[in-house]
């Protein structure tokens, strides 16, 4: 199955379960990490037909998503003498695809790259849409570029080796898409069996279709794309409070979704029944929905540190019923604090 990402001259296709021989004219460099490389590199290399093939293996982990690793990758590309007519292939989760895309955007002012995402989160979100980058001491993904891949190959079978918590973290981002855009998709989640490969493929497909719709309208996040940050405003504060340890990003997003929903309930946008249904669904996928806030005022003040807040205006992305979204910039501090107190 193929899904078009329509972006004028930067358009490309996302192929789902269609990975086969990949032909290139010049050199190809596959960027992967130590873990994913051990699982899938040999197979992927065997599918690549190119004049020369190189492999760049980076250490596994978000803590290596930084400029030092970028420098290291660039060095290896120069040593291998890749030029602008060559191609980079990212093989891995969101960390590998974000870094490979960033390298591709700056190596000799831009070289083609394609991604083969191997986590559910990367298949349903990170590998599509062209956000690339790295972290620094000031925060996550603060250095980067918008740079679209030439193609994306999502293989659902690659997810069989994914640890259970990593899989659930990807599900959180997929459920996010359903709540924001598609009530029927949400209902599908309530009855699906993710062990069933058809159901899993359907989830990947629908998420990519929805992401294609969003990115096609708003590549540079001037409006609609911000909706993809539903749950993240709260999640980022939680991750920051925990020093990025203990919870996976998708797990923090699940809690953030629940917090945003309780705010939506108090604002009359969502019924208690709908918020409970969403919480039950997250729980069905072993995702956390609770978090102990120690100081609600400090938690609130941290919202303004998020890079998504503009001129200190805090934008809350909320469900307007299941399947519809609304961006609110006029919520009073007291209304938010009241919700944060529910999580004490
Ligand atoms: P990740 O890339 O760190 O992968 C999670 C773990 O799973 C790693 O240990 C990885 O080695 C391992 N792994 C990957 N594929 C595997 C497989 N098939 N089998 C077994 N293990 C496997 O994490 P992630 O959740 O994929 O991505 C998170 C990153 O994505 C964050 O840095 C985040 O900022 C970024 N992100 C980017 C976007 C975007 O639009 N660009 C969107 C969401 C998230
Ligand atoms: N994952 C958020 C975005 O792609 O905009």
């Amino acid at each position: 199955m193929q899904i078009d990402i329509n972006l004028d001259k930067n358009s490309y296709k996302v192929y789902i379960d269609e990975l086969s021989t990949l032909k290139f004219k010049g050199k190809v460099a596959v960027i992967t990490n130590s873990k994913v490389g051990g699982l899938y590199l040999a197979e992927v290399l065997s599918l690549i037909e190119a004049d020369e093939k190189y492999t760049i293996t980076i250490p596994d982990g978000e803590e290596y998503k930084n400029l030092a690793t970028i420098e290291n990758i660039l060095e290896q590309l120069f040593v291998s003498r890749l030029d602008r007519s060559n191609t980079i292939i990212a093989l891995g989760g969101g960390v590998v695809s974000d870094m490979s895309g960033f390298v591709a955007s700056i190596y000799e002012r831009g070289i083609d790259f394609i991604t083969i995402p191997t986590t559910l989160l990367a298949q349903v979100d990170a590998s599509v849409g062209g956000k690339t980058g790295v972290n620094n001491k000031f925060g996550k993904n603060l250095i980067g570029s918008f740079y679209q891949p030439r193609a994306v190959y999502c293989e659902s079978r690659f997810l069989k080796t994914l640890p259970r918590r990593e899989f659930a973290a990807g599900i959180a981002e997929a459920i996010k898409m359903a709540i924001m855009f598609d009530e029927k998709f949400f209902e599908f989640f309530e009855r699906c069996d993710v062990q069933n490969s058809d159901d899993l493929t359907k989830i990947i497909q629908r998420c990519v279709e929805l992401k294609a719709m969003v990115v096609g309208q708003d590549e540079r996040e001037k409006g609609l794309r911000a909706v993809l940050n539903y749950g993240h405003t709260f999640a980022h504060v939680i991750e920051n409070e925990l020093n990025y340890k203990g919870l996976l990003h998708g797990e923090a997003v699940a809690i953030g979704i629940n917090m945003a929903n309780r705010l939506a309930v108090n604002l009359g946008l969502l019924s208690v029944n709908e918020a409970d249904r969403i919480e039950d669904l997250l729980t069905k996928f072993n995702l956390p929905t609770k978090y102990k806030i120690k100081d609600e005022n400090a938690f609130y003040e941290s919202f303004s540190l998020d890079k998504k807040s503009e001129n200190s205006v805090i934008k809350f992305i909320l469900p307007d019923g299941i399947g519809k979204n609304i961006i609110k910039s006029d919520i009073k501090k007291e209304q938010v604090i009241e919700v944060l107190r529910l999580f004490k």
Side-chain angles (χ1 to χ4, degrees):
M1 154 195 331
Q2 302 176 8
I3 297 161
D4 290 309
I5 311 294
N6 292 314
L7 292 166
D8 298 324
K9 55 183 185 345
N10 290 330
S11 297
Y12 54 99
K13 284 187 193 298
V14 178
Y15 300 87
I16 300 176
D17 293 340
E18 288 197 3
L19 181 63
S20 59
T21 309
L22 300 171
K23 292 187 181 153
F24 302 92
K25 284 207 183 79
K27 298 180 185 182
V28 166
V30 181
I31 302 176
T32 189
N33 72 26
S34 40
K35 187 168 183 185
V36 179
L39 292 165
Y40 301 110
L41 180 63
E43 177 184 344
V44 168
L45 284 175
S46 75
L47 292 172
I48 296 172
E49 287 180 10
D51 294 345
E52 287 172 45
K53 304 180 215 179
Y54 299 93
T55 301
I56 298 174
T57 304
I58 58 177
D60 182 14
E62 182 79 30
E63 65 269 35
Y64 299 103
K65 190 178 166 185
N66 55 35
L67 285 175
T69 306
I70 295 295
E71 185 70 48
N72 177 308
I73 298 171
L74 289 170
E75 176 126 4
Q76 296 192 56
L77 293 173
F78 285 117
V79 168
S80 308
R81 293 176 183 276
L82 263 79
D83 66 36
R84 251 193 246 156
S85 68
N86 300 148
T87 305
I88 286 173
I89 298 180
L91 173 67
V95 170
V96 169
S97 64
D98 276 15
M99 278 200 286
S100 305
F102 183 53
V103 161
S105 73
I106 58 173
Y107 184 76
E108 296 192 351
R109 297 208 175 83
I111 176 172
D112 285 354
F113 86 111
I114 70 174
T115 63
I116 306 179
T118 61
T119 62
L120 182 59
L121 184 138
Q123 295 191 357
V124 300
D125 191 357
S127 69
V128 180
K131 276 191 183 175
T132 80
V134 293
N135 311 325
N136 70 0
K137 67 175 181 186
F138 296 99
K140 278 186 74 177
N141 300 323
L142 292 182
I143 301 168
S145 58
F146 285 97
Y147 193 70
Q148 301 296 337
R150 293 287 172 202
V152 178
Y153 294 88
C154 299
E155 287 296 291
S156 57
R157 70 196 158 93
F158 285 178
L159 304 179
K160 290 208 173 84
T161 50
L162 202 57
R164 194 182 57 84
R165 279 181 68 196
E166 294 289 353
F167 186 86
I171 287 285
E173 298 282 4
I175 290 175
K176 169 196 82 178
M177 301 296 270
I179 302 167
M180 289 289 94
F181 299 111
D182 187 346
E183 187 179 9
K184 294 234 159 347
F185 187 32
F186 183 85
E187 289 164 1
F188 173 77
F189 266 112
E190 291 183 308
R191 60 176 190 276
C192 78
D193 171 11
V194 287
Q195 304 303 327
N196 175 313
S197 63
D198 287 345
D199 281 5
L200 182 56
T201 302
K202 210 168 180 169
I203 289 170
I204 299 166
Q205 177 194 349
R206 189 64 191 132
C207 285
V208 174
E209 283 170 356
L210 291 169
K211 186 129 190 205
M213 178 271 292
V214 171
V215 173
Q217 287 179 51
D218 181 24
E219 182 185 3
R220 300 248 161 178
E221 200 168 311
K222 301 274 187 249
L224 180 67
R225 191 164 179 170
V227 170
L228 301 179
N229 298 319
Y230 164 51
H232 288 58
T233 312
F234 296 91
H236 288 156
V237 177
I238 294 170
E239 287 181 291
N240 206 27
E241 282 195 353
L242 297 175
N243 237 335
Y244 297 91
K245 292 193 176 75
L247 281 181
L248 297 176
H249 173 66
E251 293 173 331
V253 168
I255 298 168
I257 285 175
N258 192 32
M259 289 180 170
N261 290 355
R262 300 300 157 180
L263 180 58
V265 168
N266 282 8
L267 296 171
L269 298 166
L270 197 68
S271 69
V272 173
N273 180 44
E274 286 172 316
D276 289 346
R277 253 176 87 193
I278 295 171
E279 189 167 359
D280 287 348
L281 184 64
L282 295 167
T283 308
K284 169 182 157 180
F285 288 105
N286 299 311
L287 286 160
T289 56
K290 307 260 192 274
Y291 175 74
K292 232 172 163 32
I293 295 178
K294 284 183 215 76
D295 179 339
E296 63 273 25
N297 282 296
F299 195 100
Y300 184 88
E301 292 310 321
S302 300
F303 286 136
S304 55
L305 300 176
D306 195 280
K307 74 174 187 295
K308 303 283 183 332
S309 76
E310 283 165 20
N311 305 323
S312 304
V313 174
I314 306 165
K315 281 193 284 183
F316 287 95
I317 322 288
L318 300 173
D320 191 5
I322 293 176
K324 281 195 259 149
N325 59 74
I326 185 164
I327 301 179
K328 299 279 269 179
S329 313
D330 58 351
I331 302 176
K332 294 202 175 67
K333 177 175 174 182
E334 218 14 75
Q335 291 175 294
V336 181
I337 294 280
E338 198 181 318
V339 170
L340 296 179
R341 282 201 193 107
L342 300 174
F343 288 82
K344 284 198 75 133

